[in-house]
Amino acid sequence: MSEDVLSPGERQTLGALRYAVNDEAVTYLAIMRLFTTGMSGFLSDQSAEEITARLADLGHDADRETVEQRLSYLVEHGNLARSPRETEARSVREYLTNRSRYQLTSRGELVHRQVEELLAHTDGAREVSSEMLPGILTGLEELVGLVDAGTEHADPRDVASRIATLFAQFEVLVTSTREFYAYLTQVLTRFDLVRDEFVMFKTALIDYLQRFVDEVARHMPQVSDRLLALEPDIPTLCGRANADTRLMGIDGTAARRATGLDPEDWRSLHTWFIGSPGRRSDADNVRALATDAMRSLLTNLRRLAAGADRQQSRYGDLLRLARWFESADDALAHDLWAATFGLYPARHLSFTADPEGDPMPATRSWWRASAAEVPVTLRTHGERRASGRASARVDYTAAKRARLAEREQERHRRLAAARELATISGPVRDARLGDDARRAFLDLYTSALARHGRPLGGDTTAHNTLRIDDLTLAIEVRHAPGSSVRLRSPGGTLTLQDLYIHLEATTESAGPEETAVTTEPQTTTRAATS
């Protein structure tokens, strides 16, 4: 089972708190107080009839049936238990009255005590019980003396009493310190302190807190030394304190004893004054929190000093604003609301929500319109200008050099293919060429047919010219039934039927770029390729 999942037993235990938060909490609290006030509820049981009468004396108007239901609810959640005591009844009425009697459980007593403490709690400040520090130091010194004299000769009850007293003082110190700093945090987070409150708070903080921090700093080294000296003998001390006759529960286990009589309880004492690996002591944290409190106090002081001509208080400002709203009519209240909170009436502005889209018409509802892309600087700081410096220009020198090199390689390859074609100058019937020369020949051939523009026949001839550097290639294509042209290359064999092709190569003065010149219109022909 995962650790973050409550077990059924834990859920049942927490159910004992429900009576204090439901709709009938007033009646439940009154019933529980009858069982926990003084010693009236311990080792005694009470019937529903008696509880009803006592509630009536306290001013609670509840009939017996309702009280019986409330008592059954408390029994169901573990706050009360049905008494096992048998009663003698001399009549049916007396039997019905006394058949169900109830008594307090330990869980119910613990829960109600916490509920009463919570109800009695106030948000006011509580003093830190710093007077416990000398008592803690004295208790540790006495235990060190017992260890030095030999724990085997000490009275177990005396050892248990000293340890229990030490931890009781420590618990008071820790609890009061925690509550004091909780109150301090609650006050420091307020931004509505006026000058008079600030002066009172400053006096309490600077004077009282500083005295407490000084006392902790004065006693902490001595307490730490005594704890370190006692650390090896803590199991022996606890064992001697538990050597006396122990109370055993009905399940055969020893009953719980006061805090400190178990060696594991001493860890909290060590953590508060000495610390643990990877964690500084709570006493050091107390001083660090005091420094943070001083810093927060200075923040409030700067806020108050920022406007010396008037009182600055969020609480006072809100009260003043509430009075203005109370005395304003409807129209003025709307204007005041808009001026205070900036919630002006909606205005639909027509602008381009998407740079690549069309502007939204002013008649389109905001609910159906697409969201506008607002720049971060405009949305965050209200600035329209672009922040930051302009990016550096991209250097394309390397890319240009690579493209020029590729183009030069392509020109040399085409020139080599043209020179290879020049070797078969004259009527082309059966020749062997490389793949580049074969592609150059097909370019000349298809360009000649495309420029001729009509089928070859009769005396019509298709021409095309290619110049690369100082080499000029001229091709002539005409229809010739029974003739064929065969070109073999590594990529395959090309066969053209019923065609006569004449290729002529000449050397001329030409530029580095290739040009194509045609002297005849375009034509097409029937060709077979294998």
Side-chain angles (χ1 to χ4, degrees), residues 137-151 162 222-223 225-231 233 237 266:
L137 178 59
T138 302
L140 289 173
E141 290 176 344
E142 292 176 352
L143 290 176
V144 171
L146 285 177
V147 171
D148 294 339
T151 55
R162 293 178 186 275
Q222 304 176 61
V223 174
D225 292 341
R226 304 303 185 275
L227 284 174
L228 292 175
L230 275 176
E231 186 173 9
D233 301 299
L237 275 175
W266 287 74

Side-chain angles (χ1 to χ4, degrees), residues 181 184 205 209-210 213 285-295:
Y181 273 100
L184 197 60
L205 178 63
L209 182 58
Q210 189 60 45
V213 172
N285 290 330
V286 164
R287 292 187 287 184
L289 290 174
T291 303
D292 295 339
M294 297 295 181
R295 189 179 297 112

Side-chain angles (χ1 to χ4, degrees), residues 296-309:
S296 299
L297 180 68
L298 292 177
T299 301
N300 277 277
L301 179 60
R302 284 195 297 268
R303 178 183 60 81
L304 291 174
D309 56 338

Side-chain angles (χ1 to χ4, degrees), residues 246-322:
R246 296 291 305 277
L247 174 64
M248 304 301 292
I250 59 175
D251 56 354
T253 59
R256 291 183 304 166
R257 301 200 71 186
T259 306
L261 299 181
D262 190 328
E264 293 295 325
D265 297 337
W266 287 74
R267 289 186 178 181
S268 59
L269 202 61
H270 279 256
T271 301
W272 211 92
F273 287 101
I274 301 177
S276 58
R279 181 182 183 274
R280 65 179 181 178
S281 66
D282 291 339
D284 289 332
N285 290 330
V286 164
R287 292 187 287 184
L289 290 174
T291 303
D292 295 339
M294 297 295 181
R295 189 179 297 112
S296 299
L297 180 68
L298 292 177
T299 301
N300 277 277
L301 179 60
R302 284 195 297 268
R303 178 183 60 81
L304 291 174
D309 56 338
R310 66 183 182 91
Q311 297 285 343
Q312 290 192 354
S313 171
R314 290 296 183 189
Y315 179 75
D317 292 343
L318 291 176
L319 286 180
R320 189 181 306 108
L321 179 63

